[in-house]
Amino acid sequence: MLKKRIIVCLDVKDGRTTKGVKFQNNIDIGDPVEMAKKYYEQGVDELVFYDIMASARGRGPILDLISRVAEQVFIPFCVGGGIGSIEDIRSTILAGAEKISLNSQAVKNPDLIREGARIFGNQCIVLGMDAAKDSEMPSGYRVYINGGRVKTDLDALEWAKKAVSLGAGEIVLNSIDADGVRQGYELTVTRMIAENVSVPVIASGGGGTPQHLADVLTSGKADAALIASMVHSMGYTVDGIKRDLAGLGVPVRL
């Protein structure tokens, strides 16, 4: 049976790791380089680094910081935020990233997914998608961009399918409604997208207990769970969460 992955997310603003609730009121919680090293030593399967202000400010990725984080971790490392061109993708990979997360820029220029996958391979291109409940949408969920600040006309399920057809090799699905609330992942939208695309789906937003991860990895059909608050500020460790998941019958890499 394929092992389920545990991925730690570092949201970075002005060079510091930050954490908010529903994408707002972010507070400084530490140095991303030190935190990356700590989570790597705890046995995290992958690390995600999001520059949460890059797209809103219209600038590219912070390559020197990405490079310093990459030097600390020897696991798949995904970077997102402000990556708007093939040159941005190339320079981010050269700085040490294995995967590139395209979110706002992919909505603005879907060809970036196709070109990125053609040049660097599908496994390198991750669709980052921020979705929130909206009864006007066919699937019941709408896509937002620019760190959840700008609503689009895109339906979450349709956009997921389109991105995969363009070449995205993985989807990180972040529920804006559940983000930072620590009450559990949004199982409905996660399951719906996981059942309708042929690539791995990573659930993001809402993890507060190991049971929440177990729920989204089993009934939510997610291939991986992204966590942040649990290890940043709630006293959990990656290895402790994995042991709890194994005890709940979820196959993880110990």
Side-chain angles (χ1 to χ4, degrees):
M1 186 182 285
L2 272 178
K3 298 275 200 285
K4 301 288 190 176
R5 291 172 287 150
I6 306 304
I7 302 172
V8 168
C9 177
L10 302 175
D11 284 334
V12 177
K13 178 182 178 184
D14 302 325
R16 301 284 292 176
T17 308
T18 178
K19 193 72 192 89
V21 175
K22 298 190 180 181
F23 288 29
Q24 295 180 344
N25 304 320
N26 287 67
I27 56 167
D28 183 322
I29 56 171
D31 173 45
V33 179
E34 291 171 9
M35 293 172 78
K37 183 172 190 281
K38 177 175 78 173
Y39 299 135
Y40 170 67
E41 289 170 351
Q42 288 179 9
V44 74
D45 296 305
E46 296 187 23
L47 193 72
V48 173
F49 173 112
Y50 288 137
D51 185 330
I52 62 170
M53 295 304 295
S55 288
R57 290 176 178 169
R59 62 160 170 74
I62 310 173
L63 298 175
D64 62 319
L65 183 57
I66 292 164
S67 173
R68 286 192 290 126
V69 171
E71 286 167 4
Q72 301 298 328
V73 300
F74 303 93
I75 48 174
F77 174 39
C78 180
V79 173
I83 299 172
S85 67
I86 292 299
E87 198 40 61
D88 285 340
I89 295 176
R90 183 176 285 111
S91 59
T92 304
I93 291 170
L94 289 172
E98 277 84 18
K99 300 180 184 182
I100 302 301
S101 177
L102 301 175
N103 189 323
S104 305
Q105 301 299 334
V107 169
K108 294 168 187 172
N109 176 20
D111 263 351
L112 190 58
I113 300 174
R114 183 188 287 118
E115 276 299 283
R118 182 181 69 79
I119 296 169
F120 303 103
N122 303 67
Q123 81 292 338
C124 188
I125 304 300
V126 178
L127 177 73
M129 177 165 59
D130 300 323
K133 284 181 186 163
D134 190 326
S135 59
E136 292 178 8
M137 290 284 125
S139 71
Y141 294 86
R142 184 188 293 271
V143 175
Y144 285 71
I145 59 171
N146 287 9
R149 286 180 284 274
V150 177
K151 80 193 238 183
T152 73
D153 294 330
L154 294 173
D155 176 76
L157 180 57
E158 286 310 307
W159 176 229
K161 289 176 172 174
K162 181 178 180 186
V164 171
S165 74
L166 290 169
E170 201 164 61
I171 295 174
V172 174
L173 170 63
N174 191 55
S175 163
I176 295 174
D177 302 302
D179 181 73
V181 181
R182 308 174 187 178
Q183 298 297 309
Y185 296 85
E186 232 282 24
L187 301 181
T188 306
V189 68
T190 306
R191 187 186 309 112
M192 174 174 59
I193 289 177
E195 287 178 344
N196 282 282
V197 297
S198 57
V199 301
V201 172
I202 299 163
S204 170
T209 68
Q211 185 63 56
H212 290 155
L213 276 75
D215 292 342
V216 82
L217 293 169
T218 53
S219 61
K221 305 283 183 76
D223 296 88
L226 204 76
I227 55 174
S229 302
M230 285 180 72
V231 287
H232 294 341
S233 59
M234 294 176 67
Y236 287 98
T237 61
V238 175
D239 44 340
I241 291 169
K242 284 186 169 188
R243 282 195 299 273
D244 287 342
L245 286 172
L248 291 166
V250 179
V252 289
R253 205 175 279 106
L254 292 169

